[in-house]
């Protein structure tokens, strides 16, 4: 088990004269892998929502936003992220640079971020035509350039409204020299709606995944489905979800499919806020070097107790069993399908200062 200590974190929210502008700065020290120094900064300027009644052409009613973000950790395994996002009339452009990107259990590609310097360029367009909230062919495109690899990602929903979409498609392609791996996901229907206080997210479709070195005929097709329910009652909020799981293994040369379930519980009252989350699933090898079925998952617990107006104590604990390789871990997981256990605990302090300018809005 590795120990993590967050020594001190300083958060400053400084609003400027315009009501939609926010500047936030944070800094801290983390000893999860020896001595680490962490810091982050963000600035955002947002406008009012636009009118789109009843028809918009290549535009939307989303408010204009310009946001810049910077986060970094300096240590033996340094990682960080810089990103600028702008949205105008529903068109959005995001440019980002990530050093040793961090993955998650839900990623379709499980490559290690160690030694990777990734550049992202994402363009999101509004619906070509929006009629009373229903959009025809909204789409987005992302280019992700890694060390010796390049990713292309395209998303499109051919008919979409606020709470549903029909025939939503997501295509990811990764190039490694002259070799290609890909995943094409199609949701024939996707729903995101509020039913009497319970938020319901659901989709149904099909995934097609191909690994590096696989012949064209080896595309692995699997059902794509997900159902998630979340609800907030008083001081407590909870969510549960379950559905399909399809991915390329860390080598990129094998395809696994299976099922995944997630759950979270959060409590916030007075000076105490706490959150627990868990996700776990089972994967079966469908293409590549044979391996027995594997169970993987992650559990996290975090508590935040305010001791005074501007000082809080933070406690964290986590446990993960997977073949994923996270650059924050001291020991690298070999890309051989080996399933390893990782765990960590932490305790820390946060100091928060608010500087409210008359007539401005601050978000700490």
């Amino acid at each position: 088990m590795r120990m993590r200590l967050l020594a001190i974190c300083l958060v400053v929210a400084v609003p400027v004269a315009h009501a939609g502008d926010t500047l936030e700065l944070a800094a801290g020290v983390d000893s999860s892998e020896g001595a680490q120094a962490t810091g982050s900064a963000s600035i955002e300027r947002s406008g009012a929502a636009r009118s789109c009644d009843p028809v918009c052409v290549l535009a939307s009613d989303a408010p204009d936003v310009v946001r810049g973000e910077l986060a970094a950790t300096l240590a033996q395994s340094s990682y960080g992220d810089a990103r600028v996002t702008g949205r105008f009339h529903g068109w959005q452009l995001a440019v980002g640079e990530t050093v040793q990107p961090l993955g998650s259990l839900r990623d379709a590609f499980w490559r290690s971020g160690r030694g990777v310097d990734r550049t992202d360029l994402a363009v999101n367009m509004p619906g070509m035509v929006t009629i009373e909230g229903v959009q025809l062919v909204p789409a987005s495109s992302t280019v992700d350039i890694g060390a010796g690899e390049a990713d292309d990602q395209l998303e499109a929903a051919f008919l979409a409204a606020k709470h549903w979409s029909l025939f939503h498609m997501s295509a990811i392609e990764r190039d490694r020299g002259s070799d290609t791996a890909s995943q094409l996901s199609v949701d024939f229907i996707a729903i995101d709606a509020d039913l009497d206080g319970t938020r319901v997210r659901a989709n149904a479709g099909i995934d097609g995944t191909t690994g590096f070195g696989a012949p064209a005929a080896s595309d692995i097709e699997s059902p794509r489905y997900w159902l998630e329910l979340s609800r907030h009652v008083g001081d407590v909020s909870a969510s549960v979800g379950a559905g399909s799981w399809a991915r390329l293994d860390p080598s990129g040369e094998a395809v696994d499919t299976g099922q995944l379930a997630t759950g979270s519980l959060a409590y916030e009252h007075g000076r105490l806020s706490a959150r627990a989350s868990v996700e776990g699933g089972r994967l079966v090898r469908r293409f590549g070097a044979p391996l027995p079925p594997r169970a993987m998952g992650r559990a996290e617990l975090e508590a935040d107790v305010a001791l005074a107006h501007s000082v809080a104590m933070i406690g964290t604990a986590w446990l993960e069993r997977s073949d994923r390789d996270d650059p924050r871990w001291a020991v690298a997981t070999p890309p051989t399908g080996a399933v390893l256990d990782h765990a960590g605990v932490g305790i820390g302090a946060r100091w928060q200062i608010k500087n409210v300018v008359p007539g401005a809005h601050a978000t700490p």
Side-chain angles (χ1 to χ4, degrees), residues 1-363:
M1 176 178 292
R2 298 188 301 107
M3 302 293 293
R4 181 174 62 181
L5 173 61
L6 179 62
I8 187 168
C9 182
L10 172 64
V11 179
V12 184
V14 184
V16 291
H18 193 280
D21 300 346
T22 301
L23 173 64
E24 182 178 283
L25 303 175
V29 177
D30 188 323
S31 62
S32 59
E33 263 187 56
Q36 289 192 359
T38 64
S40 66
S42 66
I43 183 169
E44 177 176 314
R45 181 181 180 120
S46 59
R50 296 181 175 274
S51 175
C52 182
D53 187 23
V55 178
C56 287
V57 179
L58 287 176
S60 78
D61 58 0
D64 297 340
V65 173
V66 176
R67 180 175 180 82
E69 301 170 87
L70 174 65
T73 295
L74 304 177
Q76 180 180 0
S77 180
S78 300
Y79 53 93
D81 183 80
R83 191 164 302 276
V84 176
T85 303
R87 184 173 63 215
F88 185 69
H89 283 271
W91 291 80
Q92 180 168 303
L93 174 66
V95 179
E97 185 74 17
T98 305
V99 178
Q100 299 203 121
L102 309 178
S104 74
L105 293 178
R106 301 296 299 274
D107 288 349
F109 291 92
W110 276 37
R111 76 170 172 202
S112 170
R114 296 176 190 265
V116 173
D117 184 8
R118 188 181 71 190
T119 301
D120 300 295
L121 174 63
V123 180
N124 299 324
M125 62 175 289
M128 290 184 177
V129 179
T130 303
I131 304 174
E132 294 185 346
V134 178
Q135 298 182 333
L136 306 178
V137 198
S140 65
S141 178
T142 301
V143 177
D144 165 16
I145 304 173
E149 300 178 357
D151 296 350
D152 296 310
Q153 181 171 337
L154 174 67
E155 294 189 26
F158 290 90
L159 187 64
K162 183 176 181 180
H163 299 298
W164 56 266
S165 64
L166 298 179
F167 201 70
H168 179 273
M169 179 186 70
S170 174
I172 305 173
E173 182 178 281
R174 170 164 295 163
D175 296 325
R176 188 173 67 185
S178 60
D179 209 353
T180 300
S182 64
Q183 185 178 77
L184 173 65
S185 301
V186 177
D187 290 320
F188 300 119
I189 183 171
I191 298 172
D192 187 347
D194 187 283
L195 301 180
D196 194 25
T198 299
R199 188 173 184 181
V200 179
R201 297 178 180 177
N203 61 59
I206 191 169
D207 281 322
T209 310
T210 303
F212 289 119
S218 66
D219 179 48
I220 302 300
E221 296 182 353
S222 59
R224 176 178 175 83
Y225 53 91
W226 187 260
L227 175 62
E228 183 173 336
L229 308 175
S230 57
R231 189 176 180 88
H232 186 98
V233 180
D235 299 330
V236 179
S237 59
S239 69
V240 292
S244 61
W245 200 7
R247 61 141 210 183
L248 284 162
D249 85 329
S251 71
E253 299 171 355
V255 176
D256 299 319
T257 64
Q259 295 77 40
L260 182 71
T262 65
S264 68
L265 182 66
Y267 174 80
E268 185 171 355
H269 180 76
R271 296 185 175 187
L272 172 66
S273 61
R275 183 178 184 274
S277 64
V278 62
E279 53 187 349
R282 180 176 180 270
L283 285 171
V284 177
R285 178 57 47 91
R286 298 285 304 278
F287 175 83
L291 285 176
R294 285 142 295 142
M296 303 186 196
R298 181 181 176 92
E300 295 186 53
L301 178 65
E302 180 177 341
D304 189 319
V305 181
L307 303 179
H309 177 68
S310 58
V311 179
M313 295 295 296
I314 307 167
T316 60
W318 59 270
L319 173 67
E320 179 172 327
R321 178 177 176 81
S322 74
D323 59 357
R324 188 175 69 89
D325 182 30
D326 193 312
R328 294 172 294 185
W329 298 343
V331 179
T333 302
T336 58
V339 177
L340 301 179
D341 296 324
H342 299 271
V345 296
I347 186 171
R350 186 179 67 243
W351 181 24
Q352 190 175 73
I353 300 177
K354 298 180 180 179
N355 181 13
V356 179
V357 178
H361 173 71
T363 302

